Amino acid sequence: MIENSETDPTIVKHAMLNHAHLLMTEENNEFAVNLYQAAHDKFPTDELIATYLAKAHFKRKNYSECQKMTTRLLMRNPNDFRLKFNLALCLYNKAQEVFQLQMRRVK
């Protein structure tokens, strides 16, 4: 028997990811992050969704969330050099952002 496409989790997951990918290509990153987050909440063990969510946070320059997601992924896969590079890139950009902040002098 063929399952209804609304109840098949694989189809739901792919539909959510495809829609989020389209939103990312249209530079609608805020809605894409929300959709990736919804997919991550629905499928919390899927590492691909977590990777896409981290990338979306990076594109929104939300480096703290990107760092959290990438660190969680690294805890699952400590030998993944791609994740290590992504975390280093995130930390580099986060540091650049901090160094460009105007400092307030305290008297």
Side-chain angles (χ1 to χ4, degrees), residues 17-60:
L17 289 178
N18 286 338
H19 190 201
H21 293 334
L22 287 172
L23 290 170
M24 287 294 287
T25 59
E26 295 171 354
E27 298 295 323
N28 200 342
N29 298 338
E30 183 179 346
F31 291 117
V33 166
N34 292 339
L35 198 51
Y36 284 132
Q37 186 63 54
H40 182 64
D41 293 343
K42 192 167 181 75
F43 306 99
T45 59
D46 193 315
E47 294 178 5
L48 186 61
I49 294 173
T51 305
Y52 288 137
L53 181 57
K55 181 180 179 182
H57 282 303
F58 184 84
K59 285 197 168 197
R60 285 194 71 211

Side-chain angles (χ1 to χ4, degrees), residues 5 7 10 22 25 32-34 38 40-41 48-49 54 56 62-63 66 75 86 91 95-96 107:
S5 63
T7 59
T10 306
L22 287 172
T25 59
V33 166
N34 292 339
H40 182 64
D41 293 343
L48 186 61
I49 294 173
N62 187 352
Y63 300 122
C66 177
M75 295 211 178
N86 289 347
L91 292 173
Q96 288 287 354
K107 291 184 181 183

Side-chain angles (χ1 to χ4, degrees), residues 3-9 11-12 42:
E3 284 191 47
N4 187 352
S5 63
E6 295 172 2
T7 59
D8 185 7
I11 293 174
V12 171
K42 192 167 181 75

